[in-house]
Amino acid sequence: MRLGQCTSSSPWVQLGLTFATGAASGLAVFAWVVPKSPEPGARLFDLQRNGLDVFDAFVVAWLFGQLAVLVHHVLPGIARD
């Protein structure tokens, strides 16, 4: 299946692709910030204050995915109404 077929199919597929893109961006930001500046990265991303781990990366990815869905699908719908 080509990307053009995916994006023109179902709204659920579009929503999933938007979330996946946002989540991948969140993981990229996490992976870029933490090695460059571990102390400020820990202050920003370490939610449980137990050191940076997979849970923190998952939370950042989930938040970026939700933000992508909000910006790409929800807010334009609100603006049209």
Side-chain angles (χ1 to χ4, degrees):
M1 185 178 274
R2 291 159 60 199
L3 184 61
Q5 292 171 332
C6 286
T7 57
S8 65
S9 60
S10 152
W12 291 106
V13 172
Q14 291 178 4
L15 186 79
L17 287 173
T18 303
F19 181 84
T21 304
S25 299
L27 286 177
V29 166
F30 185 83
W32 183 73
V33 166
V34 170
K36 293 238 183 233
S37 53
E39 203 170 297
R43 275 185 270 152
L44 182 63
F45 295 133
D46 191 11
L47 301 173
Q48 296 175 332
R49 303 291 180 227
N50 62 350
L52 292 169
D53 55 359
V54 176
F55 175 77
D56 298 319
F58 174 74
V59 168
V60 170
W62 183 80
L63 288 173
F64 270 66
Q66 293 294 323
L67 182 65
V69 169
L70 178 73
V71 169
H72 192 262
H73 293 287
V74 176
L75 293 179
I78 291 174
R80 276 182 288 210
D81 289 343

